[in-house]
Amino acid sequence: MKVFKFGGASVKNADAVRNVAEIINEYNNNLVVVISAMGKTTNLMESLVKAWFNNDNEVSETFNLFKSFHTEICDELFNEGETPKTVEALFSELENRLDKTPSFDFNFEYDQVVGFGELVSTRIVSEYLNSAELKNSWIDIRTCLRTDDKFRDASVNWAMTEKLVRHTFNFKNERLYIAQGFLGSTTSNLTTTLGREGSDFTAAILGNILNADDVSIWKDVPGVLNGDPKIMKDAVKIEELSYREAIEMSYSGAQIIHPKTMKPLHNKKIPLLVKSFFSPKDNGTIIHKVDYKLQLQPVFIVKENQVLITISPIDFSFISIEDINAIVNIIHKNRIKINLIQQSAIDFNIVVDFPETDLDLVLESLSVNYIARYNTGLTLHTVRHFNAEVLYEIKKDKKIYLEQNSRRTARLLLKQ
Ligand code: ASP
Ligand code: MG
């Protein structure tokens, strides 16, 4: 069996859904299909949950946008005005939830609301496939993907999930299953999410448990490129990568695959294919076990909107391991991801994504025991397999805030 994962862009409108159906139709064997929310729906859901949580009057407006976006897609896929009942039921369920007052736990409420993006999209695709004679079984992944209760960043309970997934996706009477990415649930059936862009990870979890021949991620690019084509006009496709190379790339911020995706596949040596839904016959990129040395060209990863925070002890003492512990704890508590660390005698430098939570709050917590200085609006460039020329080109005419090179990776923090 195989696992296919379709992201938001691959189901962003009715034509895209039809295209997905064609790709599924071509593959005539046991298949699990993992699908994200349609287009940019998750962003819309984030505004919806924020509005609801802050009790402002954009709630019904945003809900209506969510509903009309999907209704219009249904109008094109089915007879006009005949939105499937399963989809209507989800609209009502969400509307009822939004009529109530949220609890004080934002992360909890976030997961309960945002997940409707995936539930609705999978229902629409599943119903459409059925109407196109592609008989399938719609699975509520929350019934088998069990997690802890760290809402918005839940960890998988592998032992439970393995049993439930094997039981649910048993291929006894079915050849095609449609399930949501990104979602899970606690043992007491509260919806959780695996973190933004988590659907790739869902596909890898299912691939691992079901011992898939391979997992394919269908994207709007020909495969993994050696740079972001929006920034780098001459970016080229990479034919083949090792798991290790792919994990380094995605961890540094390459948007192509969620960093957590690689481990479950690596552990069972299951190949990951990154393919274009525009040209499904083309090879794409294969990420797999590589026993030989790959000759890799430089790979460029750019992360915008970075903040450099420099933290020093108030009394001019050295940075100790206890200090590092305390600092990292504060950052972690604020759910901020550290992209780079560099230390000198009395400075501890960290580079982070501009925090969604208040930067001032983080700085305030740090300032209790330390002096914290910061710069915003920086860009972090990562170059795998760098050479002197490419680094020179990147640095040219820019102010360098920090530079760090290891064996294979160069990192440059710059102001444009
Ligand atoms: N829909 C979710 C997101 O946009 C999960 C995913 O697409 O992987 O983050
Ligand atoms: Mg996505």
Side-chain angles (χ1 to χ4, degrees), residues 37 47 285 309 336:
S47 342
T285 299
I309 309 178
I336 296 171

Side-chain angles (χ1 to χ4, degrees), residues 5-9 36-37 39 42 118 196-200 219 255:
K5 181 259 169 170
F6 290 98
S36 303
T42 306
E118 266 66 16
R196 285 301 306 262
E197 303 299 327
S199 297
D200 295 349
K219 310 217 42 135
Q255 301 269 312

Side-chain angles (χ1 to χ4, degrees), residues 127-404:
E127 299 274 6
Y128 177 71
L129 293 173
N130 276 328
S131 75
E133 304 298 323
L134 281 162
K135 198 177 147 301
N136 67 91
S137 173
W138 181 87
I139 303 292
D140 184 339
I141 198 72
R142 297 171 299 178
T143 59
C144 44
L145 205 154
R146 296 293 169 161
T147 68
D148 64 6
D149 61 359
K150 190 160 179 239
F151 296 102
R152 291 183 75 184
D153 187 24
S155 296
V156 177
N157 178 329
W158 278 89
M160 273 179 100
T161 301
E162 268 176 31
K163 270 198 212 122
L164 294 164
V165 163
R166 283 206 191 99
H167 176 78
T168 306
F169 299 86
N170 57 33
F171 292 100
K172 275 193 189 134
N173 299 309
E174 301 289 343
R175 297 179 77 177
L176 175 60
Y177 293 95
I178 306 295
Q180 311 74 41
F182 182 50
L183 308 184
S185 94
T186 65
T187 42
S188 41
N189 292 331
L190 299 170
T191 306
T192 53
T193 62
L194 305 174
R196 285 301 306 262
E197 303 299 327
S199 297
D200 295 349
F201 184 37
T202 308
I205 295 166
L206 297 178
N208 171 299
I209 297 173
L210 299 168
N211 292 316
D213 302 331
D214 52 48
V215 171
S216 301
I217 297 187
W218 295 89
K219 310 217 42 135
D220 57 0
V221 285
V224 179
L225 306 181
N226 76 329
D228 180 348
K230 281 183 226 107
I231 305 171
M232 212 171 112
K233 294 282 164 278
D234 52 354
V236 290
K237 190 186 91 186
I238 304 169
E239 296 296 327
E240 178 182 29
L241 286 168
S242 64
Y243 294 107
R244 188 197 170 110
E245 191 59 43
I247 213 166
E248 289 289 354
M249 280 176 70
S250 59
Y251 190 81
S252 314
Q255 301 269 312
I256 194 96
I257 315 155
H258 191 284
K260 284 187 190 163
T261 313
M262 248 61 73
K263 183 177 183 298
L265 299 178
H266 168 266
N267 290 358
K268 287 214 174 155
K269 306 283 172 283
I270 298 169
L272 175 66
L273 310 170
V274 180
K275 292 174 61 113
S276 161
F277 57 75
F278 293 127
S279 52
K281 295 243 159 21
D282 292 348
N283 273 340
T285 299
I286 179 163
I287 298 161
H288 61 162
K289 184 168 187 293
V290 180
D291 299 321
Y292 39 92
K293 195 167 163 30
L294 285 174
Q295 281 307 325
L296 284 169
Q297 60 207 308
V299 175
F300 301 87
I301 300 142
V302 179
K303 250 175 148 354
E304 312 264 12
N305 210 5
Q306 301 293 295
V307 186
L308 169 66
I309 309 178
T310 304
I311 305 138
S312 345
I314 288 171
D315 60 358
F316 213 69
S317 57
F318 293 141
I319 286 275
S320 70
I321 196 77
E322 286 77 23
D323 290 318
I324 295 179
N325 223 331
I327 293 165
V328 171
N329 255 324
I330 293 174
I331 301 296
H332 184 72
K333 269 204 195 107
N334 284 278
R335 288 178 179 249
I336 296 171
K337 181 175 164 266
I338 300 179
N339 296 324
L340 192 153
I341 292 179
Q342 198 172 71
Q343 185 198 342
S344 68
I346 54 170
D347 281 344
F348 187 67
N349 293 293
I350 55 169
V351 178
V352 299
D353 293 338
F354 190 87
E356 201 191 292
T357 46
D358 206 344
L359 176 62
D360 291 341
L361 277 180
V362 181
L363 293 168
E364 229 170 74
S365 317
L366 288 169
S367 301
V368 177
N369 292 317
Y370 304 95
I371 298 165
R373 289 162 291 153
Y374 70 98
N375 300 82
T376 56
L378 305 177
T379 305
L380 179 62
H381 293 257
T382 302
V383 189
R384 296 275 298 158
H385 316 286
F386 61 95
N387 58 48
E389 289 99 273
V390 298
L391 295 189
Y392 173 79
E393 278 305 316
I394 296 175
K395 285 193 257 188
K396 216 165 58 184
D397 307 325
K398 308 222 175 70
K399 184 166 176 205
I400 305 170
Y401 282 75
L402 200 153
E403 188 165 359
Q404 191 177 80

Side-chain angles (χ1 to χ4, degrees), residues 24-198:
I24 294 174
N25 191 31
E26 279 295 308
Y27 180 75
N28 194 14
N29 214 323
N30 288 350
L31 183 64
V32 172
V33 179
V34 172
I35 305 177
S36 303
M38 294 179 153
K40 301 259 177 266
T41 299
T42 306
N43 294 348
L44 185 73
M45 300 311 269
E46 287 191 340
S47 342
L48 177 60
V49 74
K50 274 180 203 152
W52 182 47
F53 203 74
N54 299 329
N55 194 18
D56 60 34
N57 40 22
E58 268 133 54
V59 176
S60 55
E61 200 182 306
T62 315
F63 171 77
N64 288 337
L65 274 177
F66 167 76
K67 189 170 166 177
S68 60
F69 171 68
H70 291 96
T71 306
E72 277 164 31
I73 292 178
C74 289
D75 281 345
E76 281 195 51
L77 292 174
F78 311 99
N79 291 334
E80 196 163 335
E82 288 181 18
T83 300
K85 297 260 176 320
T86 51
V87 177
E88 293 280 9
L90 289 166
F91 291 154
S92 308
E93 194 185 328
L94 175 57
E95 201 167 17
N96 288 339
R97 182 172 274 280
L98 297 171
D99 272 344
K100 304 205 173 78
T101 310
S103 70
F104 289 104
D105 185 346
F106 178 78
N107 294 329
F108 164 75
E109 300 295 355
Y110 176 104
D111 282 359
Q112 310 317 303
V113 169
V114 168
F116 277 89
E118 266 66 16
L119 293 168
V120 167
S121 81
T122 49
R123 274 297 190 194
I124 294 175
V125 175
S126 166
E127 299 274 6
Y128 177 71
L129 293 173
N130 276 328
S131 75
E133 304 298 323
L134 281 162
K135 198 177 147 301
N136 67 91
S137 173
W138 181 87
I139 303 292
D140 184 339
I141 198 72
R142 297 171 299 178
T143 59
C144 44
L145 205 154
R146 296 293 169 161
T147 68
D148 64 6
D149 61 359
K150 190 160 179 239
F151 296 102
R152 291 183 75 184
D153 187 24
S155 296
V156 177
N157 178 329
W158 278 89
M160 273 179 100
T161 301
E162 268 176 31
K163 270 198 212 122
L164 294 164
V165 163
R166 283 206 191 99
H167 176 78
T168 306
F169 299 86
N170 57 33
F171 292 100
K172 275 193 189 134
N173 299 309
E174 301 289 343
R175 297 179 77 177
L176 175 60
Y177 293 95
I178 306 295
Q180 311 74 41
F182 182 50
L183 308 184
S185 94
T186 65
T187 42
S188 41
N189 292 331
L190 299 170
T191 306
T192 53
T193 62
L194 305 174
R196 285 301 306 262
E197 303 299 327

